[in-house]
Amino acid sequence: MKRIIIVLACLLAAIIVVGQMSGQDNLIARQVKAIATPEKSYLLDVKHHISETPRPAETYPFPIKIGEVGPVTSLYSGPNQYPFFCMTLDSGMGQPLVDNQEGLGVPVYDSQDGTKLVGYSKDCAAKTQLLYFLVDADNDIQPMTEEELKQAPIADDALLVRVEQGTINRYVYAIAMPISPEEIGVQNGASLWNNRLIYHFEGGSGIGFRQGRIKFHRLVNKELEQLRKGYAVVSSSGNKTSYGYNMLLAEDTARRVKTQFVTLFGEPLYTVGIGGSGGGLAQYLIGQNSQGILDGLIPLYSYPDMVSVSIYALDCDLLNNYFTFRSYNKDHWQDWHQRQNIEGLRAISGAEQKYGWLLPVNQLARGELPEFPKGNNECINGYLGLSSYIHNPRQGFIKPFFHHSVVGKVNWSYWQDMVNVYGQDEHGFGQTTWDNVGVQYGLQALLSHQISLDDFIDLNKRIGAWKAPSQMEPERMLSLGSSIPPLWLSIWGNQNITKLDGALAKRQAGSLVAMNKAYEYGQVFIGRINLPILDVRHYLEDELNMHHTSASFVSRLRILNDQKTYRNHVIWIADKHYNPTEKAYEVMDQWLTNMHKLPENLPYEDRVSIARPNVAQDTCFDQEGNIMAAGNGVFDGEWNQKEKGSCTQHYPMYSNSRIKAGAPWEGSIFKCYTIPVDVAAAQGMYGDWDVSAKMDELQQIFPDGVCDYRLGDMGRPKAL
């Protein structure tokens, strides 16, 4: 009773606060006022796969000099996206440059805190400038101006870092270089550079429409040890997936940032990528799709790519909606291990949910008896809200970046961000690759008798699918204020899930055109990569962290399938209390410098294999950094159909909803080929279950047949 009273009080408070907040959106100082028309620009014409397609010659006269402005239109990734929210202020670079008087973009004032409007910026350009950081022996980092440095003594044991900042392809870029005091004010001074370059990538979930920011102090701090060793570091907000997952634009931007570096300092001995989560998958895709940007990869907490992860990640809210609201036996799913049997991702009974109070709020709103959740899983802990942000074109940003007159005119989703590549449907919405036609959720649990046949049928009958984009609605949220999470009254995006027609909810087909384009334009990692790779991650399964261990082995399988070997691919997994990143830098340096010592007439793949250091092998580490096991087979397990290796025994691996539905571990089947249910039953797809009495019901659930994953991916172009 006490909990019910608390929930009701929260609802009442939310209603009061919402009433008080009405009309406040007009008080926001920095917001897009109107939508610009994209200028014509070149989109790379891909015939088979982007890795086989030459890139056009550079047209911009690099280098960008101090006080000059970088290119605002990409070289080969298509027209600029509008609206586009400028964030130069967030990066500490001041206001963007005025580029129009027509009210397009963000307003620009006579000073940062001024009131006189001088124009608008739709492309967010900023002049290239230099700033400095002085790092003492205790690693205290102080931002300094050129004048301050010239007046203050610099200790012999201090590190002086010059950071060049500006905009390229409308994104903020940075070049960090350790320098001597004599090089203050000199853009291309590099006497302390060790001829090695780090390309720093960042992660996060993004749908485009924002310039993004770089915290230059944070960048220096993250790569401080390497800067002390003489490495140079480059980065761009266009290579942070918080601001978008368009990997063609990310590559275009990375190529130009490196071009700026090379025209100033010359070619480095090598360029190594590093970055976690989305910053890891970006390395895989840029390394697969292009040449001349990266020579080695250190992906952290990586996935193979975002678009194939979305296949099962977008199942999460569907499944939680079923477990919570649609199941004929809701009590059955209070056993969170049973949910894991369906979802595949880690689940723990009794684990606390950060936003667990949302469940009783939503139950009350539906007229149901409220109760707090009795467990937690990775689907909730890691992917809660993903379907709303990435997939729902009517939701967009919670923060009011854009004027209300603009919000209703834009389809806010990853699919819209990729519309130049994936195309749009007959209603003008970006075409999606997500599809669940024929997917038999929980099939493996049925075969192993972890669920009953009635459970299996009810699950597949009621789970439904995401509605078509044109039918989607915004989430129902009540705001409690800027510092308090909103009350989400459409938890699991339930208003956007296909409705029950009787006891049956329809499935949804994705666009084969979009799937084909995702493959052709390199948004999918197909394993076509021969660069040295050290894939590094902490073991976080028991934290219900979204960066699950299995993702590294999905990448491994795809490399193996395409290259027939994985001698360039090393996986390290460590206890969460030990950080192996510094060791990874050292090993990658050995690997890449060894390659430079070998004859260039050797085939590249042989040079990679011969140069690989002995310590570059699959390894698991304990909390002290001690090697628990290393070598071939230490990570064997279900993913490669072998007995568990010593590392897998210590760090258990989990799967996902599509693997639990019978799909292969490679995780790259966007749309399955289907066979009739009776044919599937005759071929033994249901094991020792006699489904003859349920055949009519199964055929109603799966009118188009059920997935036969042996036939491959219907969405993959035959040329690949």
Side-chain angles (χ1 to χ4, degrees):
M1 187 64 182
K2 183 178 179 181
R3 286 182 171 180
I4 295 175
I5 293 172
I6 292 172
V7 171
L8 287 171
C10 288
L11 280 171
L12 180 60
I15 293 169
I16 293 171
V17 172
V18 169
Q20 293 173 342
M21 292 182 63
S22 61
Q24 283 190 357
D25 58 341
N26 289 325
L27 301 177
I28 297 164
R30 294 181 294 132
Q31 51 187 301
V32 174
K33 305 288 284 187
I35 302 174
T37 302
E39 299 173 2
K40 289 184 178 180
S41 61
Y42 176 68
L43 176 64
L44 199 64
D45 185 19
V46 176
K47 299 300 183 185
H48 299 295
H49 188 262
I50 194 171
S51 61
E52 304 168 14
T53 306
R55 305 304 192 264
E58 181 56 70
T59 57
Y60 188 86
F62 286 99
I64 312 162
K65 300 293 181 61
I66 301 303
E68 295 181 353
V69 178
V72 297
T73 302
S74 69
L75 181 60
Y76 53 79
S77 60
N80 285 348
Q81 179 188 68
Y82 297 104
F84 193 71
F85 184 73
C86 301
M87 298 179 71
T88 53
L89 276 170
D90 301 83
S91 294
M93 300 169 65
Q95 297 184 94
L97 298 176
V98 171
D99 55 30
N100 74 94
Q101 298 293 334
E102 288 75 47
L104 303 173
V106 300
V108 181
Y109 299 93
D110 57 347
S111 63
Q112 187 163 317
D113 56 353
T115 57
K116 181 181 178 182
L117 181 68
V118 295
Y120 295 83
S121 182
K122 63 182 176 64
D123 288 321
C124 310
K127 292 181 180 179
T128 297
Q129 54 189 290
L130 302 179
L131 66 155
Y132 302 87
F133 293 94
L134 190 61
V135 188
D136 65 20
D138 296 322
N139 289 337
D140 182 37
I141 305 173
Q142 292 294 330
M144 303 284 284
T145 65
E146 186 173 329
E147 292 72 22
E148 289 172 335
L149 286 170
K150 288 180 178 178
Q151 295 174 7
I154 299 175
D156 292 338
D157 57 359
L159 170 68
L160 180 58
V161 180
R162 182 191 60 229
V163 177
E164 176 184 319
Q165 59 181 7
T167 54
I168 291 177
N169 287 2
R170 304 193 300 173
Y171 292 102
V172 177
Y173 80 92
I175 298 176
M177 177 72 76
I179 62 169
S180 66
E182 293 74 27
E183 291 166 327
I184 296 170
V186 182
Q187 184 181 11
N188 61 348
S191 63
L192 302 182
W193 181 37
N194 68 4
N195 205 31
R196 292 155 171 80
L197 178 62
I198 294 169
Y199 204 114
H200 185 94
F201 295 83
E202 294 271 3
S205 296
I207 58 172
F209 305 101
R210 288 193 293 165
Q211 179 182 40
R213 66 182 183 181
I214 292 181
K215 292 295 187 182
F216 301 104
H217 182 286
R218 184 171 178 266
L219 176 65
V220 170
N221 185 58
K222 275 201 163 188
E223 300 297 348
L224 187 54
E225 290 305 310
Q226 308 314 312
L227 287 164
R228 285 194 180 279
K229 294 178 181 179
Y231 284 82
V233 181
V234 296
S235 191
S236 167
S237 63
N239 297 117
K240 182 174 183 176
T241 53
S242 287
Y243 308 121
Y245 272 95
N246 184 333
M247 290 295 116
L248 181 59
L249 177 55
E251 179 207 305
D252 189 314
T253 303
R255 185 178 300 280
R256 282 183 147 176
V257 171
K258 186 171 179 181
T259 298
Q260 171 69 0
F261 181 90
V262 170
T263 53
L264 288 171
F265 305 105
E267 285 285 351
L269 179 68
Y270 64 72
T271 304
V272 59
I274 193 164
S277 191
L281 72 82
Q283 294 175 66
Y284 272 115
L285 292 175
I286 289 175
Q288 167 188 265
N289 298 339
S290 65
Q291 296 180 353
I293 300 175
L294 299 174
D295 300 300
L297 316 182
I298 306 179
L300 313 173
Y301 310 107
S302 68
Y303 303 99
D305 59 76
M306 192 284 284
V307 67
S308 59
V309 170
S310 73
I311 297 172
Y312 62 85
L314 289 175
D315 284 345
C316 279
D317 281 351
L318 296 178
L319 287 164
N320 280 306
N321 183 67
Y322 169 78
F323 295 144
T324 307
F325 299 125
R326 289 191 174 183
S327 171
Y328 79 110
N329 184 10
K330 298 183 183 67
D331 290 340
H332 179 67
W333 304 110
Q334 289 302 314
D335 179 354
W336 289 70
H337 184 69
Q338 282 285 33
R339 296 192 183 199
Q340 183 176 296
N341 292 333
I342 308 301
E343 293 172 337
L345 299 167
R346 184 79 163 104
I348 303 175
S349 290
E352 185 178 352
Q353 290 185 29
K354 184 177 181 181
Y355 300 113
W357 51 273
L358 283 173
L359 177 61
V361 167
N362 276 260
Q363 289 169 324
L364 270 176
R366 296 166 67 100
E368 299 180 4
L369 185 65
E371 59 180 345
F372 281 79
K374 298 180 175 67
N376 199 1
N377 57 16
E378 188 185 324
C379 261
I380 295 173
N381 204 54
Y383 296 111
L384 176 65
L386 185 76
S387 62
S388 172
Y389 183 45
I390 295 291
H391 188 62
N392 181 1
R394 294 307 186 201
Q395 187 53 44
F397 302 100
I398 294 178
K399 290 184 177 181
F401 294 114
F402 299 94
H403 193 269
H404 62 82
S405 64
V406 171
V407 171
K409 299 178 182 178
V410 179
N411 299 327
W412 307 98
S413 71
Y414 162 76
W415 317 108
Q416 195 66 30
D417 190 30
M418 295 297 299
V419 72
N420 293 329
V421 174
Y422 294 170
Q424 61 185 25
D425 63 20
E426 64 274 19
H427 302 288
F429 290 84
Q431 297 189 127
T432 78
T433 62
W434 189 85
D435 181 295
N436 73 342
V437 173
V439 175
Q440 300 187 87
Y441 293 101
L443 179 61
Q444 297 298 332
L446 176 70
L447 294 175
S448 59
H449 289 262
Q450 293 167 321
I451 60 172
S452 69
L453 184 57
D454 286 340
D455 291 333
F456 173 75
I457 288 175
D458 188 73
L459 168 61
N460 284 284
K461 182 187 294 184
R462 295 172 182 265
I463 188 172
W466 295 109
K467 293 179 181 178
S470 60
Q471 299 172 351
M472 286 191 163
E473 305 169 10
E475 303 298 343
R476 295 188 289 275
M477 293 185 177
L478 295 177
S479 177
L480 299 174
S482 60
S483 62
I484 305 174
L487 276 175
W488 187 3
L489 298 180
S490 53
I491 194 172
W492 322 134
N494 55 70
Q495 83 283 13
N496 291 319
I497 299 173
T498 53
K499 295 181 178 179
L500 291 169
D501 182 4
L504 183 66
K506 293 182 179 180
R507 302 296 181 88
Q508 181 69 33
S511 165
L512 286 172
V513 170
M515 296 173 196
N516 279 200
K517 294 298 183 182
Y519 274 108
E520 292 168 352
Y521 277 85
Q523 307 301 303
V524 182
F525 182 64
I526 60 175
R528 191 162 297 175
I529 191 169
N530 55 15
L531 301 175
I533 304 169
L534 276 174
D535 187 303
V536 182
R537 66 175 65 239
H538 285 128
Y539 185 76
L540 300 173
E541 307 291 340
D542 294 336
E543 312 296 315
L544 300 178
N545 189 283
M546 66 190 297
H547 301 105
H548 38 269
T549 303
S550 62
S552 292
F553 298 92
V554 170
S555 299
R556 166 73 55 87
L557 283 169
R558 295 186 192 182
I559 291 170
L560 183 59
N561 287 344
D562 191 84
Q563 305 292 316
K564 310 308 177 188
T565 179
Y566 60 87
R567 57 187 175 180
N568 64 314
H569 189 245
V570 176
I571 297 174
W572 286 359
I573 298 178
D575 181 274
K576 65 180 181 179
H577 295 102
Y578 169 65
N579 185 357
T581 305
E582 185 66 24
K583 184 178 181 67
Y585 268 128
E586 294 172 1
V587 173
M588 183 57 72
D589 180 60
Q590 293 175 36
W591 200 340
L592 295 174
T593 52
N594 286 348
M595 286 182 64
H596 278 274
K597 298 174 184 177
L598 295 172
E600 292 188 3
N601 59 354
L602 277 177
Y604 183 84
E605 291 79 3
D606 291 341
R607 291 170 60 206
V608 170
S609 181
I610 295 169
R612 176 173 157 176
N614 291 333
V615 292
Q617 54 184 323
D618 289 352
T619 306
C620 54
F621 302 88
D622 68 13
Q623 62 182 1
E624 303 296 331
N626 299 310
I627 294 175
M628 302 164 66
N632 294 330
V634 295
F635 288 119
D636 283 350
E638 187 180 349
W639 67 276
N640 63 353
Q641 300 177 326
K642 294 183 179 181
E643 292 294 320
K644 287 184 179 180
S646 52
C647 287
T648 314
Q649 291 177 33
H650 193 81
Y651 294 137
M653 201 180 305
Y654 300 88
S655 61
N656 61 59
S657 58
R658 295 302 173 103
I659 294 172
K660 289 293 188 181
W665 275 78
E666 290 90 329
S668 54
I669 293 184
F670 289 90
K671 185 172 185 62
C672 67
Y673 289 92
T674 58
I675 58 175
V677 176
D678 57 347
V679 174
Q683 293 180 356
M685 187 174 287
Y686 300 104
D688 58 5
W689 287 95
D690 181 3
V691 299
S692 56
K694 302 287 187 178
M695 186 56 66
D696 288 346
E697 201 167 4
L698 286 168
Q699 288 175 333
Q700 289 176 358
I701 298 170
F702 301 108
D704 300 307
V706 295
C707 291
D708 187 343
Y709 291 108
R710 298 171 300 180
L711 303 176
D713 182 13
M714 191 185 299
R716 182 166 179 159
K718 296 188 183 302
L720 295 180

